[in-house]
């Protein structure tokens, strides 16, 4: 997670030093795309096609679950797991989207939700880097952290 925050910091500084044409319309478009992705993730496996289409085939995904060592996940593994993605019962969520350039964006989500299957409440922190590829926003990097908040 520290590495992604450093990367975002470097990207923010480098983008501020360049003459970029980030318009309010582009910011709103990116925010809409990122929030729609998050909503589809919350809805679970019913939205697998949308979910997978939003992710670049060369995506870099890392995940830390409940303090275990970091795991790297491939696009293929994600696509295979998607049909088992459960619907989330969200208790609280905050998110922030930043358009760094007209074709590069950053999305951060902190979500607390109930896991009925395990009878507990967990927090997922996700940071995603998005890039316009062939005219479409695609996620090129995902870093997730999952921790237990409490047991029921």
């Amino acid at each position: 997670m520290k590495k992604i925050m450093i990367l975002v910091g470097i990207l923010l500084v480098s983008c501020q030093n360049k003459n970029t044409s980030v318009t309010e319309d582009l910011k709103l478009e990116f925010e809409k795309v990122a929030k729609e992705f998050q909503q589809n993730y919350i809805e679970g496996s019913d939205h697998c096609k949308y979910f997978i289409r939003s992710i670049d085939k060369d995506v870099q995904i890392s995940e830390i679950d409940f303090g275990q060592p970091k795991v790297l996940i491939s696009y293929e593994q994600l696509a295979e797991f998607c049909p088992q993605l459960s619907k989330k019962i969200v208790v609280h969520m905050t998110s922030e989207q930043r358009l760094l350039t007209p074709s590069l964006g950053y999305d951060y989500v902190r979500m607390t939700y109930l896991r009925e299957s395990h009878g507990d409440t967990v927090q997922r922190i996700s940071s995603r880097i998005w890039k316009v590829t062939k005219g479409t926003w695609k996620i090129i990097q995902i870093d997730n952290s999952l921790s237990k908040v409490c047991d029921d």
Side-chain angles (χ1 to χ4, degrees), residues 124-142:
R124 174 177 291 275
I125 298 173
S126 296
S127 61
R128 300 180 278 253
I129 303 290
W130 295 73
K131 183 178 180 183
V132 175
T133 305
K134 297 180 183 174
T136 304
W137 284 102
K138 297 275 189 175
I139 298 172
I140 60 169
Q141 183 169 340
I142 304 173

Side-chain angles (χ1 to χ4, degrees), residues 41-85:
Y41 172 76
I42 289 169
E43 294 297 322
S45 62
D46 290 345
H47 298 273
C48 270
K49 285 184 182 178
Y50 173 87
F51 186 74
I52 295 300
R53 269 196 326 262
S54 300
I55 298 173
D56 189 82
K57 290 188 188 316
D58 296 321
V59 67
Q60 296 179 26
I61 305 171
S62 68
E63 186 158 299
I64 299 173
D65 290 344
F66 307 107
Q68 297 295 316
K70 177 170 62 172
V71 175
L72 301 177
I73 302 167
S74 69
Y75 176 87
E76 291 77 16
Q77 289 170 312
L78 186 65
E80 186 177 318
F81 173 76
C82 195
Q84 293 137 41
L85 193 62

